[in-house]
């Protein structure tokens, strides 16, 4: 049989070659519909009731296994438990058995279908996400009905896991001794599964098109976590090529890990600070292990998104204080809440036609002052420990910044009056991620202690491409002259005002962009913890002289193609190994 390749989003680097294991879920479509005799109805209802109870017990057990520091997962598992305990959902399925005399599996599918219809009619993003939860819960019950086989516990040998989706409960149960990699049909870069794969350091691909149930279980497949590929029925050449790549990657990783605790200093003495972006508390360990010199971006919204309601001041204070103490004496930059658009809180129901251009980030906080106040107070309380900075996202101009600062001072005055201690001179910065902030960077720089350039959004807003839309992702070009010029102008404006500038978008983890950023003399970069060793290695082997020369050429170039060519030539000449593992530009 010729090999076949499926494509998805690479979320965790590496290669795995092994037997496929299809997680037995989302199999409703394969379930036979059976009509029951009158006398079988009570037995079938009882069977379904038992399946609900068994699923409930399973989840309770998993919940008890969640370590203290994985609270985000616990909140979602608790919400799944609530659904299992919800008598309306269970009753709906039982009613289908009773009223239409169908088997339990089919009745469960009907109950899910009923809810799906209701949810689809309301058609908003938040409820669609809840529907996904309903489905995951129902699949767990289904697993019990069909005999409990096909779950993660049933895996007896090392395998590459293929699943429709992985719930937070599944990810807690993942045993890395058995699961060497995984791929899911659902999910994006920031899904739980992706976050977990990166922290467990197993290769993973999500959002795989065509990852259906028809895949042959037990067959040898290749999972390529560099490019987001799943190769089914690979031929000998492919197996040999990937086995080779796997070995080279392992030795490359061992090499970069050996020097990751050394400073990121060029051979001619230029020093750049390398910080980490984190979403979850438990990632701090990975930051230290990979040579991160602090946290340049703590995306604080994740403790809101996984919360059933709104986190309280005490809950937030505890998280921030724990983190500040753990990271100290290194720096911890807490970004205030950046919700809206693709980052929705569980209780948030959006009604905006253009969410990315709507009530997002600082705009949401300025509108919901109570929410903002709670977070500001928690950050200020944590500022007495460690080395904490505060950062505001998506500032679009001076007036907005002045408004934010006014409110921030008001909260500080309130706390003073209440006798609560905080660090008065905690550094305060803003993210530069919309074009209006770039253009007015010289004005903004006089008002803050530091800048952090968020290129994920800056590229989205400057090039007019929705960062979540796969169809326009080909336009995502970090070395577009508009982006390079914007970054340069922001860096120069910051330096002229005597403040430091960090770059914390994905661009900071792109080896092809690093020499350009170094040429601009960006003070620090902040990136995913596991990308740090590779980037530090490039910085340590480069010279400021060659980076400045490259930047000069890039600044006069008028096209993305030429810029890509220029950086590719340099990386190819100087760092051929990086080319092998990060070939998104090379594939063009
Ligand atoms: C960015 O926009 O580049 C950024 C770092 O913020 P986020 O990805 O969280 O929007
Ligand atoms: Mg952003």
């Amino acid at each position: 049989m010729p090999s076949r390749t499926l494509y998805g989003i690479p979320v965790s680097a590496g290669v795995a070659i092994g037997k496929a294991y299809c997680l037995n879920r989302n199999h409703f479509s394969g379930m036979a519909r059976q009509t029951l005799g009158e006398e079988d109805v009570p037995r079938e209802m009882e069977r379904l009731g038992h399946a609900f109870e068994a699923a409930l017990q399973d989840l309770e057990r998993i919940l008890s296994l969640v370590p203290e520091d994985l609270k985000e997962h616990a909140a979602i598992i608790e919400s799944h438990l609530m659904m299992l305990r919800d008598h309306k959902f269970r009753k709906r399925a039982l009613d289908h058995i009773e009223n239409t005399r169908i088997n339990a599996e089919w009745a469960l599918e009907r109950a899910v279908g009923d809810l799906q219809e209701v949810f689809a009619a309301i058609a908003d993003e938040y409820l669609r996400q809840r529907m996904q939860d309903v489905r995951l819960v129902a699949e767990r019950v289904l697993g019990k009905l069909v005999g409990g086989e096909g779950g993660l516990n049933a895996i007896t040998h090392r395998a590459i896991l293929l699943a429709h989706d992985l719930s937070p409960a599944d990810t807690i149960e993942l045993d890395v001794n058995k699961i060497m990699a995984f791929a899911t049909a659902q999910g994006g870069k920031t899904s739980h599964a992706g976050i977990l794969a990166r922290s467990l350091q197993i290769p993973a691909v999500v959002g795989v098109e065509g990852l259906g149930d028809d895949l042959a279980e037990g067959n040898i497949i290749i999972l390529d976590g560099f490019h987001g590929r799943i190769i089914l029925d690979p031929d000998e050449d492919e197996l040999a090529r990937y086995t080779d790549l796997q070995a080279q990657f392992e030795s490359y990783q061992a090499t970069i890990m050996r020097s990751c605790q050394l400073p990121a200093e060029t051979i001619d003495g230029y020093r750049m600070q390398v910080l980490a972006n984190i979403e979850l508390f438990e990632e701090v360990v990975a930051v230290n292990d990979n040579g991160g010199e602090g946290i340049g971006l703590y995306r604080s919204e994740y403790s809101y998104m996984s919360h059933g309601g709104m986190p309280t001041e005490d809950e937030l204070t505890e998280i921030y204080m724990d983190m500040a103490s753990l990271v100290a004496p290194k720096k911890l930059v807490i970004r205030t809440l950046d919700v809206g658009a693709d980052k929705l809180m569980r209780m948030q129901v959006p009604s905006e036609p253009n969410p990315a251009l709507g009530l997002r980030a600082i705009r949401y906080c300025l509108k919901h002052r109570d929410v903002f106040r709670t977070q500001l107070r928690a950050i200020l309380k944590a500022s007495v420990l460690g080395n904490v900075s505060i950062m505001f996202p998506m500032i679009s101009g001076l007036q907005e910044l002045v408004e934010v600062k006014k409110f921030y001072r008001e909260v500080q005055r309130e706390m003073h009056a209440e006798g609560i201690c905080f660090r008065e001179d905690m550094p305060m910065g803003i993210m530069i991620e919309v074009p209006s902030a770039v253009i007015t960077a010289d004005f903004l720089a006089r008002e803050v202690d530091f800048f952090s350039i968020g290129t994920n959004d800056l590229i989205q807003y400057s090039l007019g491409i929705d960062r979540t839309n796969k169809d326009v992702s080909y336009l995502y070009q970090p070395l577009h002259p508009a982006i390079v010029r914007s970054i340069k102008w922001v860096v120069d404006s910051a330096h002229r005002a005597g403040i430091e500038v960090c770059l914390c978008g994905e661009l900071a983890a792109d080896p092809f962009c690093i020499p350009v950023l170094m040429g601009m003399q960006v003070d620090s970069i902040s990136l995913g913890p596991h990308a740090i060793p590779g980037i530090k290695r490039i910085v340590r082997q480069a010279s400021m002289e060659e980076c400045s020369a490259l930047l000069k050429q890039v600044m006069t170039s008028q096209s993305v193609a030429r810029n890509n060519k220029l950086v590719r030539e340099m990386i190819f000449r100087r760092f051929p190994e990086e080319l092998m593992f990060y070939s998104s530009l090379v594939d063009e």
Side-chain angles (χ1 to χ4, degrees):
M1 193 190 287
S3 75
R4 194 154 60 95
T5 302
L6 305 178
Y7 297 91
I9 304 163
V11 288
S12 188
V15 169
I17 303 173
K19 286 188 176 171
Y21 178 89
C22 305
L23 193 63
N24 184 17
R25 47 181 38 230
N26 201 33
H27 276 188
F28 285 118
S29 48
M31 288 293 143
R33 183 188 199 283
Q34 291 163 18
T35 308
L36 306 170
E38 188 82 52
E39 65 288 1
D40 295 327
V41 168
R43 186 183 41 78
E44 198 65 2
M45 288 173 73
E46 197 180 333
R47 196 163 77 87
L48 184 60
H50 283 154
F52 264 94
E53 285 310 312
L56 194 71
Q57 280 170 18
D58 257 13
L59 267 192
E60 277 167 348
R61 181 183 54 78
I62 293 167
L63 185 64
S64 71
L65 298 176
V66 180
E68 252 306 290
D69 54 354
L70 284 177
K71 285 186 191 137
E72 282 82 2
H73 290 294
I76 298 176
I77 296 170
E78 269 161 13
S79 80
H80 285 193
L81 270 171
M82 268 165 59
M83 280 183 215
L84 278 173
R85 291 192 191 114
D86 174 10
H87 292 291
K88 287 194 285 305
F89 178 47
R90 191 183 297 205
K91 185 169 180 312
R92 202 180 268 267
L94 290 170
D95 283 351
H96 279 303
I97 302 182
E98 194 167 23
N99 301 336
T100 43
R101 287 203 274 130
I102 52 174
N103 53 325
E105 291 85 349
W106 201 254
L108 186 64
E109 204 249 317
R110 280 273 190 88
V112 172
D114 295 346
L115 287 180
Q116 199 152 13
E117 257 172 49
V118 176
F119 281 30
I122 301 171
D124 71 58
E125 183 62 26
Y126 168 73
L127 289 178
R128 268 203 301 280
Q129 285 180 10
R130 295 312 304 261
M131 188 60 225
Q132 185 71 7
D133 289 337
V134 172
R135 209 155 247 293
L136 288 169
V137 166
E139 282 168 357
R140 191 166 279 281
V141 178
L142 182 70
K144 295 293 165 194
L145 282 172
V146 298
E149 286 192 0
L152 285 169
N153 287 333
I155 303 179
T156 53
H157 53 270
R158 300 242 316 140
I160 298 176
L161 179 68
L162 306 178
H164 175 71
D165 198 4
L166 288 175
S167 70
D170 292 328
T171 57
I172 296 285
E173 279 198 310
L174 273 190
D175 178 354
V176 281
N177 294 318
K178 291 190 195 142
I179 312 278
M180 49 174 114
F182 68 76
T184 61
Q186 298 283 313
K189 269 221 146 85
T190 55
S191 63
H192 281 273
I195 292 167
L196 189 91
R198 286 193 292 275
S199 63
L200 294 177
Q201 287 189 273
I202 57 173
V205 182
V206 301
V208 181
E209 301 264 351
L211 192 73
D213 294 334
D214 56 328
L215 294 178
E217 179 138 354
N219 280 10
I220 296 289
I221 62 169
I222 297 171
L223 184 146
D224 172 354
F226 298 115
H227 309 94
R229 293 179 194 145
I230 314 292
I231 304 173
L232 312 172
D233 303 307
D235 59 33
E236 302 234 321
D237 279 356
E238 282 161 332
L239 282 170
R241 196 152 50 82
Y242 273 101
T243 307
D244 213 28
L245 184 63
Q246 199 175 28
Q248 287 176 34
F249 187 56
E250 275 164 21
S251 100
Y252 165 77
Q253 271 187 312
T255 310
I256 60 175
M257 285 309 281
R258 277 199 287 275
S259 58
C260 77
Q261 300 296 344
L262 298 172
E265 186 172 318
T266 61
I267 49 178
D268 48 0
Y270 166 77
R271 177 90 199 259
M272 180 158 80
Q273 215 184 8
V274 182
L275 307 163
N277 294 348
I278 63 165
E279 277 117 33
L280 306 170
F281 181 84
E282 67 267 26
E283 287 178 282
V284 173
V285 177
V287 176
N288 293 332
D289 288 352
N290 286 282
E293 298 169 76
I295 313 282
L297 169 66
Y298 168 47
R299 291 183 163 105
S300 67
E301 49 278 7
Y302 282 81
S303 35
Y304 289 77
M305 287 161 74
S306 57
H307 201 282
M310 268 298 173
T312 62
E313 185 177 318
D314 285 349
E315 283 170 336
L316 293 175
T317 308
E318 193 186 325
I319 298 173
Y320 302 157
M321 283 194 156
D322 282 353
M323 202 176 284
S325 326
L326 191 61
V327 177
K330 295 175 181 173
K331 124 175 4 173
L332 165 65
V333 181
I334 304 179
R335 175 177 74 185
T336 62
L337 190 57
D338 179 5
V339 283
D342 55 322
K343 298 173 193 157
L344 293 177
M345 290 181 285
R346 291 179 91 73
M347 30 63 67
Q348 208 177 359
V349 181
S351 52
E352 298 173 294
N354 292 306
L357 303 179
L359 208 56
R360 229 199 107 170
I362 200 68
R363 304 163 182 190
Y364 175 92
C365 288
L366 284 174
K367 187 167 162 82
H368 298 274
R369 302 272 173 134
D370 45 340
V371 176
F372 199 20
R373 174 182 286 105
T374 302
Q375 189 182 31
L376 291 176
R377 288 173 64 96
I379 298 173
L380 282 162
K381 281 183 175 176
S383 70
V384 293
L385 295 176
N387 181 1
V388 182
S389 302
I390 188 169
M391 177 162 80
F392 301 111
M394 240 191 122
I395 295 292
S396 62
L398 191 59
Q399 201 170 325
E400 193 176 42
L401 177 58
V402 168
E403 184 67 30
V404 171
K405 283 175 70 174
K406 197 169 135 217
F407 185 66
Y408 182 48
R409 301 286 170 234
E410 205 177 294
V411 174
Q412 288 181 328
R413 274 197 299 278
E414 279 169 20
M415 288 175 66
H416 250 311
E418 292 168 41
I420 302 171
C421 297
F422 58 87
R423 195 181 143 198
E424 306 250 358
D425 61 346
M426 170 167 55
M428 185 205 38
I430 56 171
M431 290 193 66
I432 303 290
E433 40 190 355
V434 284
S436 57
V438 171
I439 297 163
T440 55
D442 47 345
F443 303 151
L444 297 172
R446 292 184 216 129
E447 298 290 325
V448 292
D449 301 314
F450 64 93
F451 278 165
S452 192
I453 308 176
T455 45
N456 305 341
D457 278 312
L458 185 59
I459 294 174
Q460 150 162 280
Y461 295 124
S462 301
L463 303 184
I465 47 166
D466 177 348
R467 65 192 258 192
T468 64
N469 185 339
K470 272 200 253 173
D471 296 334
V472 291
S473 63
Y474 72 99
L475 289 170
Y476 176 90
Q477 293 290 355
L479 292 173
H480 189 295
I483 303 302
V484 179
R485 288 173 157 216
S486 295
I487 298 173
K488 176 84 166 68
W489 166 247
V490 173
V491 174
D492 290 348
S493 302
H495 288 168
R496 271 196 293 271
I499 63 167
E500 291 200 347
V501 58
C502 177
L503 191 140
C504 66
E506 288 302 309
L507 196 149
D510 185 338
F512 294 91
C513 298
I514 288 301
V516 178
L517 297 181
M518 287 165 65
M520 292 183 192
Q521 308 208 3
V522 166
D523 301 283
S524 58
I525 51 173
S526 192
L527 54 155
H530 295 292
I532 291 175
I535 293 297
K536 266 190 158 181
R537 193 172 103 107
I538 294 182
V539 178
R540 287 179 54 76
Q541 292 184 7
S543 76
M544 192 44 144
E545 197 186 338
E546 65 185 333
C547 294
S548 305
L550 175 71
L551 178 70
K552 236 185 219 151
Q553 286 183 290
V554 167
M555 287 305 291
T556 53
S557 140
Q558 296 179 19
S559 82
V560 182
R562 177 158 164 71
N563 284 346
N564 286 347
K565 188 165 174 287
L566 285 167
V567 297
R568 192 179 347 177
E569 274 167 10
M570 176 190 170
I571 298 282
F572 191 60
R573 191 166 29 85
R574 301 275 284 105
F575 310 100
E577 270 173 320
E578 271 68 24
L579 254 198
M580 192 149 56
F581 303 119
Y582 302 92
S583 52
S584 51
L585 278 172
V586 182
D587 282 348
E588 285 170 9

